[in-house]
Amino acid sequence: MPSRRTVLAASAGVTAALAVGPAAQAAGPDDKALRRLVSRMTLQEKVGQLFVMRVYGHSATRPDQADIDANLREIGVRTAAELVAKYRVGGIIYFSWAHNTRDPHQIAALSNGIQRASLTQPRGLPVLISTDQEHGIVARVGKPATLLPGAMALGAGGSRADAREAGRIGGAELRALGIRQDYAPVADVNVNPANPVIGVRSFGADPTAVAGLVAAQVKGYQGSGVAATAKHFPGHGDTAVDSHYGFPVIEHTRQQWETLDAPPFKAAIRAGIDSIMTAHIMVPALDPSGDPATLSHPILTGILRERLGYDGVVVTDSLGMQGVREKYGDDQVPVLALKAGVDQLLNPPSLDVAWNAVLDAVRAGELTEARLDRSVLRILRLKAKLGLLDKPYVTAAGVDRVVGVRRHLDAADRIAERTTTLLVNEGPLLPLSRRTHRKVLVVGADPASPSGTTGPPTAVLAAELASLGFTTSRLSTGTAPTQALVDQAVAMARGQDAVVVGTYNVTADSTQRTLVEQLLATGVPVVAVALRNPYDVAQLPRVKGYLAAYSWTDVEVRAAARVLAGRVAPRGRLPVPVQRADDPTRVLYAIGHGLSYRS
């Protein structure tokens, strides 16, 4: 049995040899060392390498009692260290709700504790720690780490350089925390305004533009030594069903898929993407069997592996989502995913059921050990490329040197300023002047912070405007304001010079419309800021000034405030079309629409 020292010595130099791109999958001298590692592993260890699992707690060995209880209830272990020892998992995913991400030094210590627990096992291998740090509305690591504009904001900015820089900064900070695989960027092309799960997580609706930004972010993340993950293959952009709760069906023809959905994934592969995540969606034109793409051999092997030539790591979306559990039981899903061409099995609802199902499938001959070996080798190649076989640990000094440093925060602000989009400016009403609009009331939706920012957005807007010389007051009216709150907002608006309203996914029957209409009736100038979907503007045609911020994280809200005040000019352009509310077949604002203060 090789010791950890032997394992690390055998893999020395692997990282340098495995270059980004198709050549990274070619067998070479160092590949022989990895194959020897695989040959020495037990079947149970190979099965473990295929799983990426959640675990509760801020510490690998001493989590809080509530997290111990949750682990025992859901996984049958007490701690992350016990999880690694029992199942020999190849990966662990961090979530804020699992209390993995309290603060940077704690995250780094958790990562080191997990690596220590794994490397002290017989034939111990480092763990590939991952998370969903898309930025924008999906981020697991919050302040004081740097939080950057999300995908649709970057799409509005239109700058591949900014997208790459955002990826570089985000990747550098994750790596300093011991997180080496990021489930970003989203490569879905969001052509359906009713999409409940992708939306602003996508760079936009133009496949060519999305492809360019995806490739840029891949290079940014991977240039910082973090594996990027293009998701959700073969494309989750045109659905009105959330695969967390249902089973979406994409009715694109094969030609539509080639034209609309495929380009960003092809661009990611050309950019040397380290991993690709599957979607729990049915695409009958690509596979008429009725299986989700995650379990589809024609899609994952026939198209992704063989036709697109991708031989990197394929990871499932969470196996706890309804979209992949609709047709098969939790014991069948991981086996079918491996048969389809998957390498990493992410977050099954019951690890014990899934782990034993794969083990039993090999013992029964349904899966061969050689099939497992191919996936384990891909996973080890990725771990080697990321430096985990040589340097699995991180340092407190590294955290202080990289995470949330001023140069990163300043860069995030500059990038955000280039994304804010001015959709409407009649009069022109904007920018607000401190001479004529000194007293400003800020009202509107205050969704819970998506990523540990200071929030809520009305407070961030009011504070930023106050710092720019305005006298501000604020009222949180929520996403479904009651008439009492509407009345309170109207009363507070009287005597103000302007009202700024933060809107959040306004629909035809939303009481946010009532709020805005009654504020307009006061005669006080009303400006609105879409805090999530830019489609809100179609529901509020009487508003004279409308900005799109694409997220309610602080960095984007503060940028919107600076645009409102005229400290920076609006430069963003819509990356998606906005249809008319009264006739969705007609476009109100086309892709590329965006006003400036110079026009």
Side-chain angles (χ1 to χ4, degrees):
M1 296 181 189
S3 66
R4 174 174 168 260
R5 183 184 301 273
T6 305
V7 168
L8 299 183
S11 61
V14 168
T15 302
L18 295 177
V20 172
Q25 286 90 41
D30 296 298
D31 228 39
K32 293 179 181 178
L34 297 180
R35 291 178 188 276
R36 285 196 296 271
L37 289 182
V38 176
S39 71
R40 294 166 183 161
M41 296 169 67
T42 67
L43 176 57
Q44 289 83 353
E45 289 163 359
K46 292 175 183 178
V47 171
Q49 281 295 304
L50 306 177
F51 284 94
V52 182
M53 190 60 185
R54 70 190 179 278
V55 65
Y56 290 86
H58 70 287
S59 164
T61 55
R62 296 190 301 275
D64 294 340
Q65 186 60 49
D67 292 323
I68 291 173
D69 294 342
N71 285 329
L72 287 170
R73 183 170 59 252
E74 295 185 21
I75 315 173
V77 298
R78 293 164 50 85
T79 66
E82 289 183 12
L83 168 65
V84 170
K86 182 174 181 180
Y87 291 103
R88 305 300 294 271
V89 292
I92 286 178
I93 179 172
Y94 285 171
F95 292 106
S96 50
W97 52 259
H99 311 135
N100 305 139
T101 57
R102 290 182 178 177
D103 65 74
H105 284 285
Q106 167 269 317
I107 298 170
L110 173 61
S111 298
N112 284 342
I114 289 169
Q115 300 297 3
R116 194 174 300 112
S118 185
L119 290 166
T120 53
Q121 298 298 315
R123 296 170 302 279
L125 289 168
V127 175
L128 183 53
I129 296 171
S130 61
T131 198
D132 292 293
Q133 192 79 352
E134 298 173 13
H135 294 279
I137 72 168
V138 176
R140 310 303 185 192
V141 180
K143 281 193 170 185
T146 304
L147 295 163
L148 293 135
M152 193 170 286
L154 292 171
S159 167
R160 295 182 184 182
D162 280 352
R164 185 167 183 165
E165 178 69 355
R168 185 195 66 78
I169 292 169
E173 297 200 6
L174 290 177
R175 186 178 174 92
L177 301 174
I179 300 169
R180 304 287 183 100
Q181 184 178 23
D182 189 15
Y183 296 136
V186 170
D188 304 317
V189 180
N190 198 80
V191 294
N192 189 338
N195 195 323
V197 65
I198 305 300
V200 294
R201 297 167 62 196
S202 163
F203 289 105
D206 178 349
T208 301
V210 172
L213 293 167
V214 165
Q217 284 234 294
V218 169
K219 292 173 183 176
Y221 282 118
Q222 294 186 181
S224 290
V226 167
T229 308
K231 62 185 186 185
H232 308 78
F233 190 82
H236 209 315
D238 189 7
T239 175
V241 176
D242 185 342
S243 53
H244 289 84
Y245 310 108
F247 188 17
V249 178
I250 308 294
E251 298 288 1
H252 290 179
T253 66
R254 181 65 178 254
Q255 183 56 47
Q256 286 174 321
W257 178 82
E258 293 280 2
T259 303
L260 182 65
D261 301 292
F265 292 101
K266 291 180 179 178
I269 293 168
R270 286 194 299 270
I273 188 77
D274 283 329
S275 55
I276 291 177
M277 180 179 284
T278 69
H280 304 326
I281 58 174
M282 187 199 313
V283 188
L286 304 185
D287 179 0
S289 70
D291 286 343
T294 297
L295 310 182
S296 170
H297 189 274
I299 291 175
L300 298 187
T301 296
I303 295 176
L304 181 57
R305 294 259 190 236
E306 295 174 355
R307 184 164 170 275
L308 300 186
Y310 178 69
D311 194 35
V313 170
V314 174
V315 56
T316 70
D317 206 342
S318 171
L319 296 183
M321 294 165 60
Q322 185 60 33
V324 78
R325 304 173 75 189
E326 190 102 340
K327 188 175 177 182
Y328 299 102
D330 292 340
D331 57 337
Q332 296 174 280
V333 165
V335 176
L336 292 171
L338 292 169
K339 285 183 173 182
V342 158
D343 301 303
Q344 290 184 307
L345 301 161
L346 176 62
N347 205 23
S350 169
L351 179 59
D352 193 64
V353 167
W355 190 91
N356 280 294
V358 174
L359 190 65
D360 291 345
V362 176
R363 288 172 172 165
E366 186 178 0
L367 285 170
T368 66
E369 193 164 352
R371 168 66 191 89
L372 266 57
D373 289 352
R374 289 197 294 274
S375 286
V376 172
L377 181 60
R378 288 191 188 102
I379 293 164
L380 290 182
R381 281 174 178 155
L382 181 53
K383 290 182 179 183
K385 178 187 172 186
L386 298 172
L388 278 169
L389 300 185
D390 298 307
K391 294 181 180 179
Y393 298 110
V394 293
T395 66
V399 172
D400 292 335
R401 190 169 54 248
V402 174
V403 179
V405 294
R406 176 47 55 191
R407 67 181 181 278
H408 287 176
L409 297 172
D410 289 346
D413 282 337
R414 291 193 300 271
I415 292 170
E417 288 174 353
R418 294 190 279 269
T419 68
T420 307
T421 307
L422 180 60
L423 300 175
V424 179
N425 192 21
E426 296 182 20
L429 175 57
L430 296 173
L432 297 176
S433 165
R434 285 177 297 170
R435 292 188 301 275
T436 55
H437 301 103
R438 176 170 291 275
K439 293 189 294 181
V440 179
L441 170 65
V442 179
V443 302
D446 273 334
S449 170
S451 50
T453 60
T454 56
T458 56
V460 175
L461 268 171
E464 189 72 9
L465 288 170
S467 74
L468 296 171
F470 294 87
T471 301
T472 61
S473 51
R474 61 174 283 262
L475 174 67
S476 176
T477 51
T479 57
T482 63
Q483 188 58 51
L485 276 172
V486 172
D487 292 343
Q488 185 179 354
V490 167
M492 291 178 68
R494 296 192 176 99
Q496 299 291 311
D497 298 318
V499 179
V500 176
V501 184
T503 67
Y504 184 93
N505 293 5
V506 181
T507 59
D509 57 357
S510 171
T511 54
Q512 292 181 69
R513 294 184 68 188
T514 306
L515 170 69
V516 172
E517 289 297 329
Q518 294 194 22
L519 286 170
L520 286 166
T522 66
V524 178
V526 174
V527 180
V529 179
L531 296 172
R532 185 169 179 168
N533 291 332
Y535 312 114
D536 288 2
V537 65
Q539 298 291 343
L540 298 165
R542 293 183 57 220
V543 173
K544 306 299 184 185
Y546 220 126
L547 293 178
Y550 306 101
S551 175
W552 62 102
T553 50
D554 291 4
V555 67
E556 288 164 280
V557 171
R558 289 197 312 268
R562 292 193 292 276
V563 171
L564 286 171
R567 288 300 177 93
V568 295
R571 293 174 59 180
R573 298 290 182 267
L574 273 177
V576 293
V578 174
Q579 281 83 20
R580 293 177 57 111
D582 58 350
D583 183 1
T585 64
R586 297 173 62 191
V587 172
L588 179 64
Y589 299 116
I591 291 176
H593 172 78
L595 307 174
S596 80
Y597 291 152
R598 296 186 298 274
S599 59

